């Protein structure tokens, strides 16, 4: 049975428009976090789905796991390690793919992300650049104006590209 995947009304990956005025949300407004919070919610949902794909399915009750490669209680059904999952996205879907890949670290690290016409949310760039141990440029002359993933996040292992798209 398919499971519903509810994303903020089903029209967008993350909130971009004020639901009351239908105007674009100004990310520079003091205290404005709706886009960032909505993006975090979407990334958690996407990562939850990917983590479910990477776990072996439970055995039916009463099954002994005989014949499985790793022993009792584990199914031998195919799974995908997160490190072998690469995301692709266009536009806002690409922004989600970049953010999911950037947030995946350690055992939860994804293989990478490739995007077309996507960038990180501009309101998260200063936070990322200020993070301890960040590989992001810190001066205005070297800041990633196109926010391409290859230039901005060196820990992504797959080559990504993102060129500014006219809107």
């Amino acid at each position: 049975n398919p499971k519903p995947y509810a994303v903020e009304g089903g029209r967008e990956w993350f909130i971009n428009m004020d639901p009351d005025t239908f105007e674009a949300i100004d990310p520079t407004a003091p205290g404005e976090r709706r886009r960032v919070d909505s993006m975090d919610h979407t990334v958690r949902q996407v990562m939850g789905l990917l983590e479910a794909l990477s776990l072996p399915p439970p055995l039916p009750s009463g099954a002994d796991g005989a014949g499985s490669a790793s022993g009792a209680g584990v199914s031998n059904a195919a799974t995908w390690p997160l490190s072998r999952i690469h995301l692709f996205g266009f536009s806002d879907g690409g922004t989600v793919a970049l953010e999911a890949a950037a947030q995946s670290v350690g055992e939860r690290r994804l293989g990478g992300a490739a995007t077309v016409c996507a960038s990180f949310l501009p309101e998260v760039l200063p936070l990322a650049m200020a993070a301890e141990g960040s590989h992001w440029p810190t001066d205005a002359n070297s800041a990633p104006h196109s926010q391409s993933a290859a230039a901005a996040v060196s820990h992504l292992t797959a080559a990504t590209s993102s060129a500014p798209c006219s809107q």
Side-chain angles (χ1 to χ4, degrees), residues 2-136:
K3 302 286 185 213
Y5 187 77
V7 178
E8 305 301 333
R11 293 177 298 279
E12 52 192 10
W13 280 98
F14 55 93
I15 295 173
N16 274 312
M17 309 292 275
D18 185 296
D20 297 325
T21 65
F22 300 106
E23 297 291 327
I25 292 173
D26 179 6
T28 63
E32 180 57 66
R33 292 201 39 92
R34 289 179 288 179
R35 288 172 18 126
V36 173
D37 293 343
S38 177
M39 173 65 76
D40 287 344
H41 173 76
T42 300
V43 167
R44 281 192 306 275
Q45 287 186 310
V46 168
M47 290 306 296
L49 173 64
L50 296 177
E51 287 169 357
L53 291 172
S54 70
L55 297 174
L59 289 174
S61 59
D64 64 1
S68 73
S70 56
V74 178
S75 168
N76 61 359
T79 61
W80 295 277
L82 288 175
S83 63
R84 295 188 67 192
I85 296 175
H86 302 266
L87 301 177
F88 174 81
F90 171 77
S91 192
D92 286 351
T95 299
V96 172
L98 288 173
E99 191 63 38
Q103 288 185 23
S104 67
V105 295
E107 293 293 319
R108 298 181 64 222
R109 186 181 202 163
L110 294 175
T115 67
V116 175
C117 297
S119 66
F120 288 97
L121 293 177
E123 57 264 45
V124 301
L125 291 175
L127 300 173
M129 287 190 284
E132 185 175 327
S134 172
H135 298 287
W136 292 69

